Amino acid sequence: MDLESDFFNHFAITVEDMNASLSAVIDGRDYQKPICICGHPISWHTDTGSRSMCNFASTYCRCKSPLAVIATSDLRYFKKLTRGPGSNHALSLGCYSAIKANKSVRWLAEPMCFKCKATGVLIRPVALNSLSRVTFASGEINILLCSTCYEVIMLA
């Protein structure tokens, strides 16, 4: 009696399906974990009643509104701090680090500018403070902006 095949005779699952699923779990590429627009895993955000908080390691991120924008196969690369917009934002740094390490990173929705709603344009992550001004540290609000909208906000 073959225990493996006998076991799966009672399920609508084949041994081949199980082998493919097990390979994906071991590889991790198909097991996608959501990343917030602040650049940190959604699982690191907690709701404190009146607002949300993002805590990781011994660091605090000021993100008030968690929004999953990408998914990755490995959370280890998303422990960066935001030190400005674009390439200095934790989201960009985490994505770049993960891709360099051959980990999967994918958008959960079509990327777009949060201000003008344009799609198909180059965008950058930007942290804003409570006054909606660009900050060069962790921001209460994190958005994706096209170049035109970014310049408008910077000059405001």
Side-chain angles (χ1 to χ4, degrees), residues 76-156:
R76 293 177 295 170
Y77 301 93
F78 293 88
K79 297 179 181 178
K80 313 287 191 264
L81 295 174
T82 293
R83 291 186 170 88
S87 62
N88 290 314
H89 193 280
L91 183 64
S92 302
L93 292 165
C95 290
Y96 184 73
S97 299
I99 290 168
K100 279 189 67 144
N102 293 318
K103 304 300 178 184
S104 66
V105 175
R106 68 178 173 86
W107 289 99
L108 293 175
E110 185 175 7
M112 69 173 191
C113 175
F114 283 28
K115 186 167 173 42
C116 71
K117 309 295 183 211
T119 57
V121 297
L122 297 177
I123 53 172
R124 73 184 83 198
V126 179
L128 303 176
N129 63 21
S130 59
L131 301 173
S132 295
R133 302 241 187 251
V134 173
T135 183
F136 292 85
S138 170
E140 285 89 353
I141 304 163
N142 290 274
I143 57 176
L144 300 172
L145 292 176
C146 66
S147 294
T148 304
C149 292
Y150 176 72
E151 288 177 26
V152 168
I153 285 182
M154 284 297 290
L155 297 174

Side-chain angles (χ1 to χ4, degrees), residues 13 17 60 101 140:
I13 304 168
D17 291 338
Y60 169 72
E140 285 89 353

Side-chain angles (χ1 to χ4, degrees), residues 33-54:
K33 300 159 190 99
I35 302 296
C36 178
I37 192 164
C38 71
H40 305 126
I42 285 288
S43 60
W44 294 352
H45 291 75
T46 55
D47 188 3
T48 61
S50 61
R51 64 178 273 176
S52 176
M53 292 176 59
C54 175

